[in-house]
Amino acid sequence: MSTPTDEQERAADRFHAGDHLALQAGAGTGKTSTLALLARSTPRRGRYLAYNRAIAQDAAARFPPSVICKTAHALAYAALGHRYARRLGAPRRPAWQTGHHLGITEPAKIAGHTLAPTALSNTVLRTVTRFCHSADTALTPHHVPPLRGLDHPEGHDELADFVIPYAAKAWADLQNPDDGAVRFDPDHFLKIWSLTNPRIDADFLLLDEAQDTNPVVEHIFNSQRDHAQLVMVGDSAQAIYHWRGAKDVISGFDGTHLTLSRSFRFGPALATEANRWLTIANSPLRLTGSTARPTDVGPLTSPDAILCRTNVGTMHHVMTLLAAGIRVALVGGGGSLRSLALAARQLKEGRRTNHPELVLFPTWGTVQDYAAYDPCGRDLQPLVDLIDTHGTQAVLTALSRLSHEQHAQVTISTAHKAKGREWNRVQIAGDFTPPKDTDQQDANGRPVPGPIDPGEARLAYVAVTRARDRLDLGGLTWIHDHPEGNP
């Protein structure tokens, strides 16, 4: 982008005027390049807050020396995290051992369920993690994660009554910089730093991927408003990590709101497909594709990447392609699937498991019944089908045969893990299923499809915008026949 677009020039004008800025930037529109453009246009000292270390390292080569590119964790470490260096190198220890040090030594009866010390300890540690991701100053019951089987409010309240005192004890343990029972990690010193209301020494701050910002980072960023110019950039339509504590901080930001809508990644045909999903997701943004990059939309026989809705969906493709002798890579390596498969094997062998998703189930049969008949367990049905069809050993064997991406013929990914990535030829997997039909009928007597969930629309938008040269809509082809797909 040797010549800035009109939208980028408008952003530069408002930046020079001293406005606090929020840039809604669609897929492939040059988010980081625009921030670098702003940084190079001023002699002032800046800080760029990156989503992760790899992004920070890449940005450091693109920004001028006057801008320091770090993650929020790196800033926190330099400020006070280094005091906890001795604890950061501590070896991993089982959750039950940590819980024992905190005083959890016996099973507890909660809402009719008997929870083992390991399950209770895991819940306590996850409570502390959720607190660390929040902007809250004290532990409260809403930090306690829900457990399957304790989904009703009364059950969660009873669980919270047990967990919160131990979580408070764990948090007190983490304040000791020299030693403690709870394993210390970077989220802990980031939270400790945030509670000091830190002042970042800079004339302006740049926050990238703002739609996936944890509330604790949002608090740190917004706290600099009185002495530094704030600029955030992101895509609210790509806010797909709410389930792990992330928050879209763009929409409610107090400042001048501008857009970047011209994509340099793909052409007009793919922009049209992206805009279908942007409309459904209630995004005000609409993309314009690059005429210099004509992206085709149509079937593919040899994609570079296959994007799935679920982890279980990725495994179906991994096992099918491996059986055909094709070298396969799985983005993320399959660790979460491996742990679920191991948990399923324990239950099938008549043993209890400590996996947080399955900890309350005494047998595999109870998991099968829960997935089949309980509305809260429907998302487990694909896992049950995978295990019942192939067996735990076949799944574990397939995961052990994965290749690294640079050596693979096809890369498999969930849409969540594909975010921020791009490939030349992308195929959408078949597990992006349409919403169920309603009990109404159209003029031709056909069932009227149900409404599309905005969260699912955002995930589909992420998936279809990963392609550069060709997109095979595959499992999302149904959108062309859905009433919401033709606005």
Side-chain angles (χ1 to χ4, degrees), residues 327 329 403-409 411:
R327 297 189 305 276
S403 301
H404 292 290
E405 282 193 56
Q406 59 266 36
H407 303 304
Q409 295 167 274
T411 297

Side-chain angles (χ1 to χ4, degrees), residues 18 64 84 89 188 221 234 244 251 257 265 273 364 368 382 397 468 476:
Y84 298 84
H188 297 140
F221 180 77
R244 70 179 192 192
S251 301
H257 288 248
R265 179 181 299 159
E273 295 301 327
W364 181 246
Q368 292 171 313
T397 299
R468 289 189 289 250
L476 287 172

Side-chain angles (χ1 to χ4, degrees), residues 219-279:
H219 166 72
I220 294 168
F221 180 77
N222 283 331
S223 296
Q224 315 307 312
R225 177 179 291 268
D226 290 342
H227 72 274
Q229 183 181 9
L230 305 182
V231 179
M232 61 170 58
V233 63
D235 185 354
S236 294
Q238 294 191 53
I240 58 175
Y241 289 118
H242 293 295
W243 52 275
R244 70 179 192 192
K247 176 185 176 184
D248 173 23
V249 303
I250 306 172
S251 301
F253 181 70
D254 182 12
T256 299
H257 288 248
L258 299 174
T259 59
L260 301 176
S261 61
R262 179 186 171 190
S263 181
F264 299 91
R265 179 181 299 159
F266 45 75
L270 199 149
T272 298
E273 295 301 327
N275 288 336
R276 295 182 199 275
W277 297 105
L278 287 170
T279 303

Side-chain angles (χ1 to χ4, degrees), residues 182-400:
V182 183
R183 190 170 189 266
F184 199 92
D185 68 40
D187 281 347
H188 297 140
F189 67 67
L190 177 64
K191 181 64 175 180
I192 294 170
W193 184 53
S194 78
L195 291 172
T196 69
N197 292 315
R199 185 184 192 276
I200 299 175
D201 184 22
D203 299 318
F204 62 90
L205 264 66
L206 308 173
L207 177 65
D208 208 348
E209 299 291 346
Q211 78 282 348
D212 290 325
T213 301
N214 280 338
V216 65
V217 176
E218 178 194 18
H219 166 72
I220 294 168
F221 180 77
N222 283 331
S223 296
Q224 315 307 312
R225 177 179 291 268
D226 290 342
H227 72 274
Q229 183 181 9
L230 305 182
V231 179
M232 61 170 58
V233 63
D235 185 354
S236 294
Q238 294 191 53
I240 58 175
Y241 289 118
H242 293 295
W243 52 275
R244 70 179 192 192
K247 176 185 176 184
D248 173 23
V249 303
I250 306 172
S251 301
F253 181 70
D254 182 12
T256 299
H257 288 248
L258 299 174
T259 59
L260 301 176
S261 61
R262 179 186 171 190
S263 181
F264 299 91
R265 179 181 299 159
F266 45 75
L270 199 149
T272 298
E273 295 301 327
N275 288 336
R276 295 182 199 275
W277 297 105
L278 287 170
T279 303
I280 300 166
N282 299 316
S283 170
L285 188 66
R286 297 295 179 270
L287 292 178
T288 300
S290 171
T291 55
R293 183 138 209 156
T295 308
D296 296 325
V297 178
L300 275 169
T301 55
S302 55
D304 299 314
I306 300 174
L307 306 185
C308 304
R309 173 64 183 84
T310 63
N311 281 318
V312 174
T314 65
M315 275 310 301
H316 282 299
H317 283 278
V318 164
M319 298 178 78
T320 299
L321 292 170
L322 285 174
I326 297 172
R327 297 189 305 276
V328 183
L330 181 62
V331 173
S336 59
L337 276 168
R338 185 177 290 107
S339 63
L340 277 168
L342 288 171
R345 184 166 71 183
Q346 289 174 312
L347 292 173
K348 288 169 75 72
E349 292 173 349
R351 297 181 290 139
R352 298 296 290 255
T353 178
N354 295 320
H355 193 288
E357 283 288 291
L358 304 177
V359 68
L360 293 181
F361 298 95
T363 65
W364 181 246
T366 57
V367 176
Q368 292 171 313
D369 290 343
Y370 178 76
Y373 304 116
D374 193 312
C376 295
R378 288 173 182 164
D379 61 317
L380 278 180
Q381 191 62 59
L383 170 70
V384 171
D385 291 342
L386 179 74
I387 296 300
D388 289 347
T389 300
H390 301 285
T392 55
Q393 191 53 51
V395 173
L396 293 169
T397 299
L399 290 170
S400 70

Side-chain angles (χ1 to χ4, degrees), residues 141-200:
H142 82 267
H143 297 125
V144 179
L147 291 181
R148 290 188 184 275
L150 291 176
D151 307 289
H152 53 288
E154 296 80 6
H156 186 266
D157 289 345
E158 193 173 331
L159 178 67
D161 288 342
F162 180 93
V163 166
I164 288 295
Y166 290 105
K169 192 172 181 180
W171 182 240
D173 174 280
L174 290 165
Q175 310 305 302
N176 186 341
D178 298 316
D179 193 23
V182 183
R183 190 170 189 266
F184 199 92
D185 68 40
D187 281 347
H188 297 140
F189 67 67
L190 177 64
K191 181 64 175 180
I192 294 170
W193 184 53
S194 78
L195 291 172
T196 69
N197 292 315
R199 185 184 192 276
I200 299 175

Side-chain angles (χ1 to χ4, degrees), residues 122-135:
N122 271 324
T123 305
V124 167
L125 296 179
R126 291 169 63 204
T127 298
V128 173
T129 296
R130 286 161 62 99
F131 168 63
C132 287
H133 290 167
S134 76

